[in-house]
């Protein structure tokens, strides 16, 4: 998998996450059960815990995406994708998927620690790619 393909897969993961909590809201609005503005950020959540976790997993993916995208694009612009980015980029996405799934499963101590490990591993890989680009 190339770095740019990994970026596209990361985007697909974010789309799945956002749809997983946004789509269940549509029937609630259409049937009048909830108002369209019932999910304001300044209001307590009315979603079931799984949808709240999906929303948090999506937000976390969005927060880290610019770092990943930046390194992949810079690597491509430097002509270093094949040697620096491509060997590691797929693992960033695999770890992101693992982190999201773990986030969806629950919030026990061990799940949170596992999720943190997946997160820190992604950051380490992105940092490694950036470091290698600086050394090139």
């Amino acid at each position: 998998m190339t770095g740019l393909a990994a970026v596209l897969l990361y985007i697909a993961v974010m789309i799945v996450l956002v749809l997983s909590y946004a789509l269940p809201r549509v029937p609630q609005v259409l049937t009048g059960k909830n108002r369209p503005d019932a999910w304001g950020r300044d209001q307590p959540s009315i979603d079931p815990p799984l949808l709240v976790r999906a929303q948090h997993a999506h937000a976390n993916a969005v927060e880290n995406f610019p770092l990943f995208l930046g390194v992949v694009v810079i690597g491509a612009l430097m002509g270093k994708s094949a040697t620096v980015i491509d060997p590691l980029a797929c693992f960033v996405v695999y770890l992101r998927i693992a982190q999201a799934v773990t986030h969806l499963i629950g919030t026990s101590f061990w799940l949170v620690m596992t999720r943190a490990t997946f997160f820190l591993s992604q950051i380490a890989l992105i940092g490694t790619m950036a470091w290698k680009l600086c050394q090139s």
Side-chain angles (χ1 to χ4, degrees), residues 17 53 57 95-106 111 115 118:
L17 287 169
R53 291 192 304 273
L95 287 163
R96 169 55 54 195
I97 293 168
Q99 181 181 353
V101 169
T102 305
H103 210 135
L104 294 173
I105 292 171
L111 288 172
R115 195 171 76 219
F118 292 144

Side-chain angles (χ1 to χ4, degrees), residues 43-83:
Q43 301 171 12
S45 179
I46 58 173
D47 285 327
L50 177 63
L51 297 187
V52 172
R53 291 192 304 273
Q55 187 174 12
H56 292 175
H58 172 253
N60 186 252
V62 170
E63 290 169 352
N64 296 318
F65 182 67
L67 301 174
F68 182 53
L69 177 64
V71 169
V72 170
V73 169
I74 290 169
L77 291 172
M78 292 174 69
K80 301 289 182 180
S81 289
T83 57

Side-chain angles (χ1 to χ4, degrees), residues 1-15:
M1 175 183 313
T2 68
L4 293 173
V7 166
L8 291 174
L9 183 55
Y10 195 114
I11 290 168
V13 169
M14 290 190 297
I15 290 170

